[in-house]
Amino acid sequence: GYFHHMMRQCRYSSKDLQGIELITSYVFNKAEYVRFNSTVGKFVGYTEHGVKNAEAWNKGPELAQELGELERFCKHNAANHY
């Protein structure tokens, strides 16, 4: 069988909510193929398939949606982290 998963993590470097970094990784069969990093501000592909996905997602609504996750997911849960 095949194994696919997505992992989203927030990294907090200060309590003022300005130093939050969102990282979303997409993994297929234990190999990460695409990553979104809010510091970089775009998707980056690590395999041939991942590069194609990253190019398409950076041009489409996926990029805006992922940038919105920084507000919705990370900043909303910051109090739980601290």
Side-chain angles (χ1 to χ4, degrees):
Y2 297 101
F3 181 71
H4 181 265
H5 78 274
M6 183 267 292
M7 182 177 68
R8 181 170 285 142
Q9 59 182 311
C10 302
R11 295 183 180 170
Y12 302 93
S13 61
S14 65
K15 289 188 177 186
D16 65 1
L17 300 182
Q18 298 302 314
I20 298 176
E21 180 181 36
L22 170 67
I23 298 173
T24 306
S25 299
Y26 296 84
V27 179
F28 182 73
N29 282 354
K30 299 181 184 179
E32 183 178 23
Y33 66 96
V34 174
R35 176 184 290 181
F36 173 81
N37 185 321
S38 63
T39 304
V40 176
K42 65 180 184 176
F43 291 94
V44 176
Y46 296 108
T47 65
E48 184 179 344
H49 178 69
V51 169
K52 290 179 183 179
N53 281 331
E55 288 173 359
W57 294 351
N58 286 329
K59 294 176 185 174
E62 294 86 358
L63 182 60
Q65 180 180 353
E66 200 64 34
L67 289 169
E69 291 298 309
L70 181 65
E71 287 286 329
R72 188 192 71 78
F73 184 73
C74 292
K75 290 186 178 181
H76 177 74
N77 292 307
N80 296 334
H81 177 75
Y82 292 115

